[in-house]
Amino acid sequence: MDEGIRSLASAQSGVLARRQLTALGMNWNAVDRQVRSGRWAERTPRVVSIFSGPLGEEQRRWVGVLHAGPRSMLGGLTAGARSGLVGWSRSDVTVIVDDELSFEEVPGVRFFRSRRPFEVLRDPRPGIPCCRLEHALLLWGGYDAPLRPAYGVLAASVQQRLTTAARLGRAIVQLKPLRRAKAFRGLVKDIEGGVHSGAERDVGRLCREFAIPLPVRQVPRLDSEGKRRWTDCEWVRADGTVVVLAVENSAVVCLRDRNSDGSGTRREARRV
């Protein structure tokens, strides 16, 4: 194998576009001979791999991006996963493409068309072309997801320390016009106030609805083993005791009375 082809294949997890091979001096007939021999495999009419075995996750991502062409990149939750987002993976690969591009569909790949400048969307890191995390999640939340999961993934990206509320706020402005932008700006404000999930945001909504003072969020405390933890919500009563609310798994709410010195016992645990 030509050294240029070998180097490119190494950089792209063994997946190559026919146009890339042509640019490196290997015509389609030569590619087809490799495929017929069983050494290579055709993954789409535009993409081959230098191996014939099953595709891994990263290789499936390369197939989607290379099939769509030079003006394409990973988007949505696929871009989130590449940036380290945990708990939001999906089986399909999402690829953002130029609105004018036309190509065959690929099983297991979802193509999201956008007219926005790719220079704004694209993450500058080397490797597989990928949308910036904030832009990818906002576009997914604005156009592909129900509202509650859209809130949840944005809050999760900050909770997992992959981005910040300020960076999400700047991305909302850059993506203008963006569907649900007003709702997302409200969420960003809540995240700045300590909200780390959609369920925690619901607590604030319920407090406003029933005229309950808003809680103090993310208060650091030491647990029984001396490890530092952060409480979801706390209210200080007039007598100095503290009510602590723990929101777990988006559904289970644990309510605890606590003295100002941190002592106290759980009073109620219920699913809401």
Side-chain angles (χ1 to χ4, degrees), residues 201-260:
R201 191 169 194 254
D202 288 342
V203 172
R205 178 180 57 80
L206 289 171
C207 287
R208 288 187 287 269
E209 183 177 345
F210 293 97
I212 299 172
L214 290 174
V216 178
R217 300 182 185 271
Q218 309 305 321
V219 178
R221 292 188 181 275
L222 298 180
D223 65 14
S224 58
E225 298 179 353
K227 295 181 180 179
R228 183 177 294 273
R229 308 290 186 185
W230 283 263
T231 59
D232 295 326
C233 305
E234 292 193 4
W235 291 266
V236 180
R237 289 173 167 167
D239 61 3
T241 59
V242 180
V243 176
V244 180
L245 185 71
V247 184
E248 302 169 1
N249 297 327
S250 302
V252 179
V253 176
C254 301
L255 190 64
R256 184 187 300 269
D257 284 325
R258 188 190 298 274
N259 297 321
S260 57

Side-chain angles (χ1 to χ4, degrees), residues 100-218:
E100 301 302 320
L101 292 180
S102 177
F103 42 79
E104 308 86 354
E105 295 298 316
V106 177
V109 179
R110 296 181 65 255
F111 295 107
F112 180 90
R113 297 182 181 276
S114 176
R115 296 178 180 176
R116 293 174 170 82
F118 271 40
E119 296 72 20
V120 173
L121 297 179
R122 182 164 174 173
D123 190 322
R125 290 178 298 173
I128 187 169
C130 186
C131 186
R132 296 175 187 270
L133 173 68
E134 298 81 11
H135 299 65
L137 298 185
L138 285 166
L139 289 173
W140 181 79
Y143 300 97
D144 271 0
L147 188 56
R148 187 173 181 82
Y151 285 157
V153 75
L154 294 175
S157 68
V158 177
Q159 182 185 34
Q160 296 177 25
R161 301 183 183 278
L162 301 175
T163 187
T164 65
R167 284 159 58 183
L168 285 173
R170 289 194 294 270
I172 292 171
V173 174
Q174 292 173 340
L175 290 173
K176 185 178 180 180
L178 173 67
R179 182 170 177 257
R180 296 175 173 167
K182 182 177 180 180
F184 291 156
R185 285 194 294 269
L187 175 64
V188 166
K189 184 176 180 180
D190 286 343
I191 292 174
E192 289 174 337
V195 168
H196 280 180
S197 69
E200 290 180 27
R201 191 169 194 254
D202 288 342
V203 172
R205 178 180 57 80
L206 289 171
C207 287
R208 288 187 287 269
E209 183 177 345
F210 293 97
I212 299 172
L214 290 174
V216 178
R217 300 182 185 271
Q218 309 305 321

Side-chain angles (χ1 to χ4, degrees), residues 60-61 63-65 91-95 105-111:
R60 290 177 56 242
R61 294 172 181 174
V63 168
V65 168
S91 58
D92 285 352
V93 172
T94 298
V95 176
E105 295 298 316
V106 177
V109 179
R110 296 181 65 255
F111 295 107

Side-chain angles (χ1 to χ4, degrees), residues 1-19:
M1 192 188 306
D2 178 84
E3 184 58 34
I5 296 175
R6 189 187 308 276
S7 177
L8 183 61
S10 177
Q12 297 180 175
S13 299
V15 181
L16 299 164
R18 286 180 179 267
R19 68 176 183 279

